[in-house]
Amino acid sequence: MNSPATLRGHSPISTFRKPNYSGRRLVCNVKLPSNCKFSSNHNCFKSFTANRSEFAAHQSIGYWRIGGASSSSNNAQSVEESFGEFITSERVKVVAMLGLSLALCNADRVVMSVAIVPLSLSHGWRQSFAGVVQSSFLWGYLISPIAGGTLVDYYGGKLVMAWGVALWSMATLLTPWAAEASLWALLAVRMLLGVAEGVALPCMNNMIARWFPPTERSRAVGLAMAGFQLGSAIGLTLSPILMSQGGLFGPFVIFGLSGFLWVLVWVSATSSTPEQSRQISIHELRYIQNKGQIRTVVEGKSKTSKGIPPFRRLLSKLPTWSIIVANAMHSWGFFVILSWMPIYFKTIYHVDLRQAAWFSAVPWSMMALTGYFAGVLSDMMIQRGISVTLTRKVMQSIGFFGAGFSLIGLTMAPSPSIASAWLTLAVGLKAFSHCGFLVNLQDISPQYSGVLHGLSNTAGTFAAIIGTVGAGFFVELVGSFKGFLLLTAFLYFSAAVFWNIFSTGLRVNFDDST
């Protein structure tokens, strides 16, 4: 054993003989605090093995320091960041990569919304059957969120996201072959795309919960979801251009190859937690820890079971159901708009496919901007003393009531330009809900945020399947999209009321049945 280094408790100064403490045997000559996982009875000179993440966690909360640094936690709390440091920080790089992955995620799924028009013409599909083809993605998406969320809580967001992007990129590349082979092959590949993409949002939530302190999570979600919405805009605008240049299946090849490139960068340049990162600065690591992030991670490790999550207890709490209902309505509106708006503009206003895609794409660009603005506003409200609960309810109300009233305006629009303006307002305001139910997963239970996201995503997928398929049958039976949009507006209002009654921004105890 190497010559022992001296570790001290709260008051005395600590020194280490070597700065590289990872995996070294260290000796303690004081009794450590009872809540420290390294303490052992009342005996001194107890040996233990320190790893970097656990040592950094205890260092940040004042148990010990390195190389004679003061043990005062007050000194640690003085660590702050400028805006320039924030923009160039490692955690912004992580959320930027998450945003790119979500952009690819949505671009890959939205290509079919454009390709379905020529595919329907060439195969003689009715609108109801076109809705079934589009919803096949959701059949796969229905399967994976709960399992994916559990895997994310167990293995971390980096590994699960890498596998997810690789699989859905492969499914995107296989789509041209599947479409030429048979209808069943096309449906199977679309299902595989849905299975793989089901892990994307749980991974995003997990990574943000680990990398960002609570006072920055709303804007982090806003940044990541901005990529998600821009993916819709990119897919809708580029797909007709790529189809005209490279054939019907050109965009599937381009977006699929882009996903594999993203995986290479993600695996080599990021890590699941700040403590595992080799690129992060000591200053940023201490900033994240001292803002409360490391406490959440340590608590999550101590409380999260490596077995089956407590589904019964998770579903026994009304705040869980408020998230489930909000996610269900969010997915209903999102997929109805994403899947049917190009056809809506083509059939109602008689514009060509490229114009229809353009009118449908503009709102998603607005959603990316308003989503980040909503995140900044939400964080500012919390920093200025407004309760987390009230902040989440305000954001969710703007998102759902605003979207509902805008859809009513859309049904009365006399021209495609005015209709696009109403649609832009609806989608832009809906982005505020990301700072409601989507961030609320981290508020009520950081340790179960992955599986909670999976549960709510599964409910959302059920709703999306009903909405996407139901829209096609509704149009065939009633003969108009407008009635379905009015139904969607009513559901937005109902979900907003349910959220305001039962949601909370406080931590919910899921570790007992009370």
Side-chain angles (χ1 to χ4, degrees):
M1 177 175 172
N2 296 317
S3 55
T6 304
L7 276 174
R8 303 264 174 115
H10 293 278
S11 300
I13 296 177
S14 320
T15 59
F16 281 89
R17 194 173 296 275
K18 292 186 177 183
N20 182 14
Y21 48 80
S22 178
R24 298 187 62 81
R25 301 285 292 176
L26 306 176
V27 177
C28 175
N29 64 353
V30 297
K31 173 187 173 183
L32 296 175
S34 59
N35 61 344
C36 173
K37 66 188 292 183
F38 296 140
S39 65
S40 180
N41 301 324
H42 299 284
N43 300 323
C44 295
F45 298 97
K46 295 291 182 181
S47 64
F48 61 90
T49 300
N51 64 55
R52 181 180 179 190
S53 62
E54 290 173 338
F55 183 87
H58 287 75
Q59 176 193 353
S60 73
I61 52 181
Y63 291 158
W64 49 62
R65 309 290 283 180
I66 303 177
S70 169
S71 63
S72 169
S73 61
N74 292 333
N75 290 339
Q77 294 296 332
S78 65
V79 177
E80 294 294 341
E81 271 193 339
S82 66
F83 178 75
E85 289 172 324
F86 171 76
I87 291 297
T88 58
S89 65
E90 189 68 16
R91 64 189 185 280
V92 169
K93 182 184 82 175
V94 169
V95 81
M97 288 296 295
L98 288 171
L100 285 175
S101 71
L102 295 181
L104 287 170
C105 174
N106 236 15
D108 287 350
R109 74 173 65 166
V110 82
V111 172
M112 187 57 72
S113 299
V114 179
I116 195 67
V117 176
L119 280 175
S120 296
L121 292 175
S122 63
H123 291 85
W125 294 340
R126 296 179 303 170
Q127 284 187 328
S128 58
F129 190 76
V132 172
V133 173
Q134 295 220 71
S135 70
S136 60
F137 162 83
L138 296 169
W139 306 346
Y141 200 69
L142 181 66
I143 299 171
S144 59
I146 295 178
T150 304
L151 290 172
V152 167
D153 287 339
Y154 190 96
Y155 292 107
K158 177 184 176 179
L159 180 64
V160 179
M161 182 66 100
W163 277 105
V165 176
L167 285 175
W168 85 54
S169 298
M170 182 179 69
T172 302
L173 280 174
L174 289 175
T175 300
W177 166 84
E180 295 295 331
S182 69
L183 175 62
W184 290 109
L186 176 61
L187 296 178
V189 169
R190 293 294 293 176
M191 284 184 64
L192 176 60
L193 178 70
V195 169
E197 290 197 357
V199 306
L201 292 181
C203 285
M204 180 271 291
N205 242 315
N206 177 275
M207 294 291 286
I208 287 177
R210 291 173 179 268
W211 274 89
F212 285 81
T215 54
E216 293 180 355
R217 286 178 188 165
S218 293
R219 73 188 69 185
V221 169
L223 282 170
M225 294 304 292
F228 194 67
Q229 314 312 334
L230 286 174
S232 299
I234 291 169
L236 287 168
T237 53
L238 288 185
S239 292
I241 299 173
L242 294 174
M243 287 178 186
S244 65
Q245 299 297 320
L248 179 60
F249 301 111
F252 293 96
V253 175
I254 297 297
F255 293 142
L257 292 176
S258 299
F260 285 111
L261 178 60
W262 180 93
V263 171
L264 293 176
V265 178
W266 173 258
V267 171
S268 61
T270 63
S271 58
S272 287
T273 66
E275 294 73 38
Q276 295 172 348
S277 174
R278 296 184 179 181
Q279 289 84 24
I280 194 171
S281 67
I282 293 298
H283 175 81
E284 183 181 0
L285 179 61
R286 289 180 178 174
Y287 174 82
I288 296 172
Q289 293 168 348
N290 296 329
K291 288 291 184 179
Q293 169 60 18
I294 201 67
R295 174 182 58 80
T296 297
V297 173
V298 171
E299 286 180 2
K301 286 181 179 178
S302 65
K303 293 181 180 180
T304 302
S305 169
K306 293 299 185 183
I308 299 175
F311 291 109
R312 183 180 63 83
R313 293 197 295 272
L314 291 172
L315 292 172
S316 68
K317 309 289 186 179
L318 283 171
T320 299
W321 284 101
S322 69
I323 292 175
I324 289 174
V325 170
N327 200 334
M329 188 57 237
H330 175 80
S331 296
W332 172 293
F334 180 86
F335 282 100
V336 165
I337 293 173
L338 191 67
S339 300
W340 287 102
M341 283 303 102
I343 300 175
Y344 179 84
F345 278 96
K346 187 176 186 302
T347 57
I348 300 297
Y349 298 105
H350 308 291
V351 298
D352 62 35
L353 183 59
R354 185 173 296 188
Q355 286 179 310
W358 171 254
F359 282 126
S360 303
V362 170
W364 303 110
S365 301
M366 178 60 67
M367 193 176 191
L369 294 174
T370 56
Y372 179 69
F373 170 77
V376 173
L377 179 61
S378 181
D379 285 339
M380 288 176 58
M381 291 172 67
I382 295 172
Q383 290 167 1
R384 294 183 180 182
I386 298 174
S387 71
V388 175
T389 298
L390 179 58
T391 300
R392 303 298 180 231
K393 290 183 177 183
V394 169
M395 295 293 112
Q396 192 71 36
S397 295
I398 294 173
F400 277 11
F401 283 117
F405 284 117
S406 298
L407 287 181
I408 294 174
L410 172 62
T411 62
M412 298 181 289
S415 67
S417 298
I418 296 176
S420 182
W422 278 112
L423 183 62
T424 300
L425 184 61
V427 173
L429 291 176
K430 196 163 80 76
F432 280 77
S433 67
H434 296 159
C435 299
F437 81 93
L438 198 55
V439 184
N440 193 236
L441 293 159
Q442 302 164 21
D443 296 328
I444 67 172
S445 184
Q447 68 269 33
Y448 294 123
S449 63
V451 69
L452 280 172
H453 204 150
L455 286 169
S456 63
N457 252 17
T458 297
T461 305
F462 268 119
I465 291 173
I466 294 171
T468 304
V469 177
F473 283 99
F474 188 95
V475 171
E476 280 196 355
L477 292 173
V478 179
S480 173
F481 278 103
K482 295 183 178 180
F484 196 80
L485 292 177
L486 292 175
L487 172 63
T488 301
F490 172 76
L491 293 175
Y492 269 128
F493 299 151
S494 301
V497 172
F498 189 90
W499 172 268
N500 284 320
I501 294 173
F502 296 113
S503 67
T504 181
L506 301 177
R507 187 73 57 86
V508 177
N509 183 11
F510 291 113
D511 293 316
D512 59 51
S513 57
T514 57

